[in-house]
Structures are given as C-alpha cells and as structure tokens.
Amino acid sequence: MIQHGNGLRFSADELARMLVGTGARSGPLYRQLSDSLAELIERGELPPGAALPPERALATALTVSRTTVVAAYQALRESKRLERRQGSGTRVSPDRNRETVSGLAGDHAASQFLNGPLVTIDFATAALPSLDLVADVAAGLTRDDYLRLTGTYHGYHLRGLPALRERIARWYSDGGLPTAPEDILITSGAQQALELVARGCLQAGDGVVVEQPTYRGALEAFARTGSRLRTVRIDEHGLDVAALERLLTNESPRLVYVQAAAHNPTGVVLSDERRQRLAKLLDQHEVVLVDDTSLAGTAFDGRSTPAALATHERLVTIGSLSKLFWGGLRLGWIRAVPQVVSRFAQVRGITDLGSSLVAQEVALRLIDHREQAAAERRTTLPVGLQTLTGLLAEHLPDWSWREPEAGASLWVRLPHGDATHFAQIALRYGVALLPGAVFSADGSTDHHTRLPYALPTATLTQGVTRLAQAWTDYVNRTTVDVTLTSAVT
C-alpha cells in the first residue's frame, strides 16, 4: 500500500492478499470478486478515496480474465461503491451511504468456482485450539474470587495484576533468570506487547532487523512506526547470527526482532550455540534485542524453560499464555528492566488502561498448569504434523518442507509459481491460504506458504484434497500462460 498525495493506492498483489481474508463464495466469478471487494470496502480496509489497481494488473494477480475484473468493477460502480475518475483510475467512492451490490446477468461461463456454496477451510490461521483445562480452571473461580477482584481493585491496573506479575517473575527466576515483579508488564496478548515495543522504542526512519521469514504481526507493528526493515535469513538452526553480526558491524539499527524459543512460521528453534552468540551481541552493539517467546512450550522435545536469552538492559522479552492455552485468553507480557517497563507502561496508558482482571485471574491459575499444557501440546502437535505431511506426500508430492521442531505450522515451498497467485485459486476451491510474502519484509518468500496442522484430521484431509485440486488448476493455468507467451515471442 502506497501513500500518495491524493490518497492510498493498493497494488494488485496487496489487494489479492486482502481478498483471501474474505473467504470462498459461490456464483459467477465476477460476482464473487465484486462481493469480496464490497466486503473490504464496508469493513473499511479499502477506505474512501483509495485507488484500486488497473483491471489488467488485478486480473493477473487473481489469475482471472480481465473481463471478470471489468465486470466486478462495473457492478461496484453501479452500487456507488466505486467511481471512475479521469486520470486517476478506479477509486473507492467517498459516499459511505451505499446500496447493496446489485447483481448482473448470469455469465456463469466466466466462473471458475466449484458448483454450490463452499464452507471455507481456514488454513490462513495457525492458532492452537483451546485446551480443556482452560474451561476447567476458569470454572473454578468462585463468587468470592470475583468479589475480591471487584472489591479490592478499581478495575484498572496499567501494569497488570500484582499477583500475576509476581507469579510470572517467579517462573522466570525458577528457570534460572532472576526476575522481579517490576520487570513484568502484563499485556492483552503478545500482539499488544509488540505494538508497545514498537511505539516505545522506534521512530520513523529507525532501522529494524527481522528474520527472513518472520511473524507477520511483527512486520505490521514495525511498519506502522515508519521503520526501515532489514532482514537476516534463518536456516535449520534458526537465525544466522553470523550474518546478523556482520550487519550490525556495518550498520546501526535501533532494534533486532527474533523468535529464539520457537519460530513462526517455520517452527525452527534457535540452537544453543547461536543463542549464546546472540546474547553476546548485546554487549558489543548498541541495539535493542526483542526476543518473542510467544510459542515457548510448544517444542516437541519438551523444552519448558522460560526460554529467554538472558537479562540485559537492552533485552526485551515477549511472552504469552494465549498461544499455549487459548487465543481467546488474550494474555501476554513484556519482561525488561524496570525503567524500560515503565516506558512501555506510559505508552500503553495513552490508549489502554490495562488488561481484563478476570482474564488475569484465570491466567494466574493457569500458569501453574503450564507443564501439563506443554505435555499435551507435545503429544498432539506431532500427530497433527504427521497427518498433514502424510496428506501432502500423497496429494502434493512436489511440495517440499523442513520438519519443524515446535509450533503449529508447516512452512511449505511450492515447486514453482508464487503463493500470492495460487492463494486466489485455492480460495475458489474453498481454502483460505496465506501467501509467504506476508511473512517477509520484502515479499521475497512468496514461493512458500504456511499450513497449520493443529486441526482435526477431517479438516486437514478435506483441506489438502481441495488444495491438490486447486494446484492442478493453477499449474494448468500457468502452463497455458507460458505456452501463449512463448508463442508470441
């Protein structure tokens, strides 16, 4: 997305990735596209005045005919959602009082969708399912517990419930990392922690080093600060610390973001040797190191320590219970030296006066079940992984991957083509898929996609079966395109 003097302008590939989130639909292909664009407009993701890509460029990104895009744009102009401006192309109408998109005549010949309505299988999300013990623990809260919360506190605790901060600090200390409650700031999930770190540490133009690939939520948080992103690759041992050291020697970034405990999206765990080298870099370079340990506890080998690197005035550790127990808990934290925690608390106070005390009370009890939760994940996650890889080997034998060591997703490489275009075909077959480009600061990982495996076997089976059908369709389309291009040249 590019900001111009006359408003936002979305590229064809950006819009294609946004359309994945609207789910699969049935009916004529142009109508599918117009309804999905209308949804993005109504949700405000395509704001008034935003410029959409030319028909031909969007058709290429979506792997459809230009006629399909022309018809979709026309339907949206008739419903007053889009307008055509001379010299500036197609833009979202500034008029928010729009009518429902009107239908055009059938033209089912243009449709490449499967017949009948499809229930979208969500392969775009890699969240872990809730553990039963979350409900068991939450149900254990009594009326006296709630009276204690409501009677003792006014409901706002900017830094978090004192008892929970003390318990998390003790957990780190028991793991060999002395920590005080003053070193902990409770947040509403790891994503809020990332936002606070980005806003508290960065200014426009600051350099930020991220792994390639990396967690998309981090990329979004850093992008909102106007930071300049640089990348360092990861391999089977995690972040290439030697390459990072060379970069730090030649440049002076403000912040480095890593996922040492368990990497999203690849599932790699940073090796002990590289972990030690990474910690030493803090003494050699003036840089803030952010270690996101949100997926700690999901390692298949049973690592259950706090997984922080060390204690240092420029080290910030992000933790979470939402990943291990349940995303709906929305409970994370920041561990840092007290003056840094105070800075983040000040930033937080601008927009948020604290996380839910009820959720924190549940978390206070859940943290004592962390070993049980990790053991359950250690049992179920490898089974899901084995199911997914078996299905891929059967239905998509040309796809390749490296076995993960942790987490809930498989980082898969496509044999050719790119995932941004393939995701559009997959959506027509009822599978929402994230292209690898969204996990990269420069979009260079678009020959990959991320597949979740913490799903029921029936869902994985149906999803991979649909992906195989979509891949055959995609290969046939790209083969025709290459043949036509060769014939012309």
Side-chain angles (χ1 to χ4, degrees):
M1 182 175 58
I2 302 173
Q3 177 75 54
H4 290 282
N6 57 349
L8 298 176
R9 183 175 300 276
F10 291 83
S11 72
D13 283 349
E14 286 173 331
L15 187 53
R17 289 191 284 269
M18 294 168 67
L19 286 166
V20 172
T22 63
R25 301 174 188 273
S26 59
L29 191 54
Y30 79 87
R31 183 64 179 271
Q32 299 284 336
L33 178 56
S34 66
D35 286 353
S36 293
L37 288 170
E39 181 177 331
L40 293 177
I41 291 170
E42 295 306 319
R43 293 200 312 227
E45 295 182 32
L46 293 175
L52 301 191
E55 291 98 339
R56 193 177 304 279
L58 185 57
T60 299
L62 298 179
T63 321
V64 298
S65 70
R66 181 172 178 268
T67 302
T68 297
V69 180
V70 170
Y73 277 9
Q74 177 62 28
L76 292 170
R77 285 196 292 270
E78 291 179 359
S79 66
K80 310 300 183 184
R81 288 184 170 89
L82 296 183
E83 61 182 25
R84 183 83 176 179
R85 296 183 185 177
Q86 186 66 31
S88 62
T90 300
R91 291 182 175 273
V92 178
S93 171
D95 180 12
R96 302 301 297 175
N97 298 318
R98 304 182 184 90
E99 302 172 0
T100 303
V101 177
S102 60
L104 301 179
D107 190 20
H108 287 273
S111 176
Q112 300 296 327
F113 285 78
L114 301 179
N115 293 328
L118 285 176
V119 176
T120 304
I121 294 176
D122 183 10
F123 274 7
T125 303
L128 294 166
S130 176
L131 298 179
D132 289 344
L133 66 86
V134 175
D136 295 339
V137 169
L141 265 67
T142 66
R143 184 173 184 274
D144 288 342
D145 292 324
Y146 287 112
L147 285 174
R148 178 171 48 80
L149 279 178
T150 57
T152 306
Y153 303 111
H154 46 58
Y156 301 107
H157 261 277
L158 191 61
R159 296 176 181 239
L161 199 63
L164 180 59
R165 295 171 65 206
E166 190 281 330
R167 181 65 188 87
I168 293 175
R170 179 154 42 91
W171 172 57
Y172 277 107
S173 297
D174 291 344
L177 297 169
T179 304
E182 293 74 25
D183 301 330
I184 302 297
L185 173 68
I186 304 300
T187 63
S188 299
Q191 187 61 45
Q192 185 185 57
L194 270 170
E195 294 285 349
L196 293 177
V197 170
R199 287 190 284 135
C201 293
L202 300 171
Q203 297 180 354
D206 280 347
V208 175
V209 181
V210 298
E211 297 156 314
Q212 181 84 312
T214 193
Y215 172 50
R216 63 181 302 212
L219 293 174
E220 293 168 355
F222 298 142
R224 281 190 282 271
T225 67
S227 302
R228 296 177 296 105
L229 297 181
R230 296 294 307 275
T231 63
V232 174
R233 72 181 187 93
I234 65 170
D235 56 25
E236 66 272 18
H237 304 296
L239 176 72
D240 186 342
V241 179
L244 173 62
E245 187 170 8
R246 290 192 296 271
L247 189 152
L248 294 178
T249 300
N250 296 324
E251 302 183 25
S252 299
R254 169 66 176 157
L255 183 146
V256 175
Y257 171 78
V258 302
Q259 300 173 83
H263 185 269
N264 181 1
T266 68
V268 172
V269 176
L270 189 65
S271 69
D272 291 338
E273 185 270 335
R274 291 189 181 184
R275 185 186 299 264
Q276 294 169 7
R277 291 184 63 184
L278 181 59
K280 290 179 180 178
L281 291 181
L282 279 173
D283 295 324
Q284 302 167 1
H285 301 275
E286 289 291 328
V287 65
V288 176
L289 178 60
V290 179
D291 183 19
D292 186 345
T293 67
S294 300
L295 286 171
T298 65
F300 300 164
D301 65 0
R303 304 182 200 188
S304 57
T305 62
L309 290 169
T311 299
H312 194 284
E313 62 181 5
R314 281 181 279 105
L315 173 66
V316 176
T317 303
I318 292 174
S320 175
L321 293 185
S322 299
K323 300 291 191 295
L324 186 61
F325 287 98
W326 178 45
L329 190 62
R330 305 310 310 134
L331 200 292
W333 63 84
I334 295 172
R335 174 183 179 266
V337 295
Q339 59 269 35
V340 174
V341 167
S342 295
R343 166 62 178 162
F344 294 148
Q346 292 170 1
V347 172
R348 189 220 190 121
I350 297 173
T351 57
D352 182 12
L353 297 178
S355 302
S356 162
L357 292 189
V358 174
Q360 292 184 66
E361 190 69 27
V362 173
L364 179 60
R365 289 159 168 75
L366 279 176
I367 200 167
D368 289 330
H369 297 273
R370 199 173 187 283
E371 296 300 328
Q372 177 185 347
E376 186 168 342
R377 298 302 190 192
R378 193 159 59 246
T379 299
T380 57
L381 288 174
V383 173
L385 173 62
Q386 184 177 13
T387 299
L388 176 60
T389 54
L391 289 166
L392 291 176
E394 177 183 357
H395 297 283
L396 292 159
D398 292 339
W399 290 20
S400 58
W401 58 86
R402 182 188 299 130
E403 292 286 322
E405 303 172 78
S409 63
L410 188 66
W411 186 238
V412 178
R413 184 184 180 97
L414 306 182
H416 59 81
D418 66 83
T420 293
H421 291 168
F422 173 62
Q424 297 304 316
I425 303 296
L427 190 59
R428 296 172 212 171
Y429 284 82
V431 181
L433 200 65
L434 280 181
V438 304
F439 300 95
S440 168
D442 57 10
S444 63
T445 56
D446 207 27
H447 47 294
H448 282 81
T449 187
R450 184 189 69 177
L451 299 180
Y453 48 79
L455 294 170
T457 298
T459 303
L460 289 174
T461 301
Q462 188 175 31
V464 173
T465 301
R466 291 184 184 182
L467 282 183
Q469 295 170 333
W471 182 249
T472 299
D473 190 348
Y474 176 72
V475 169
N476 290 338
R477 290 167 181 268
T478 53
T479 299
V480 170
D481 289 344
V482 170
T483 301
L484 290 175
T485 300
S486 300
V488 171
T489 56

